[in-house]
Amino acid sequence: ATKTFRLEALRDGVIHAVVASWEVWSDRERTHVITTHPEDTRDMPWGFARDMQWGQGLQLVEDFDSASKSDRHAAPAPFVVKAGEALLLTVRFSVPCRQTFQF
């Protein structure tokens, strides 16, 4: 299973990695939440323990077009973007449980 997200580069630079976080709510009213969003766990007394147990997903990235044209022993090429550039992020989920994913 796959899902594609449309993103826009906020500034010129190199994208080194993609970080994924998640949240789960206890009910439709969103009474209680478990979250791994860095902005939600930062500076919380339980934040480090939650991040270590549940954590975020991290995938290093490289320039796919450059990699597909290079020798397989070549070093990865940086993924360089320009501000305002449209980006497509495709996530591949394991089937059937979707617990494992790849960007």
Side-chain angles (χ1 to χ4, degrees):
T2 64
K3 180 163 180 148
T4 299
F5 298 89
R6 294 181 182 276
L7 307 170
E8 182 179 312
L10 297 178
R11 57 184 158 264
D12 295 353
V14 175
I15 296 177
H16 298 283
V18 175
V19 177
S21 59
W22 52 267
E23 61 190 38
V24 177
W25 294 90
S26 61
D27 52 31
R28 291 180 190 264
E29 291 73 35
R30 296 184 169 202
T31 307
H32 303 286
V33 66
I34 295 176
T35 176
T36 64
H37 302 317
E39 64 272 16
D40 294 340
T41 60
R42 183 181 303 124
D43 299 326
M44 300 302 270
W46 45 263
F48 179 73
R50 166 127 347 131
D51 290 347
M52 292 304 295
Q53 176 63 32
W54 298 102
Q56 296 88 21
L58 175 76
Q59 174 81 47
L60 299 176
V61 296
E62 62 182 292
D63 187 320
F64 179 81
D65 292 333
S66 177
S68 64
K69 298 173 189 168
S70 300
D71 177 279
R72 70 183 205 108
H73 299 291
F79 184 50
V80 179
V81 297
K82 296 287 185 193
E85 183 177 349
L87 305 168
L88 296 176
L89 174 66
T90 300
V91 183
R92 293 173 184 86
F93 297 96
S94 60
V95 176
C97 64
R98 297 178 60 154
Q99 292 176 343
T100 305
F101 55 90
Q102 176 187 30
F103 302 105

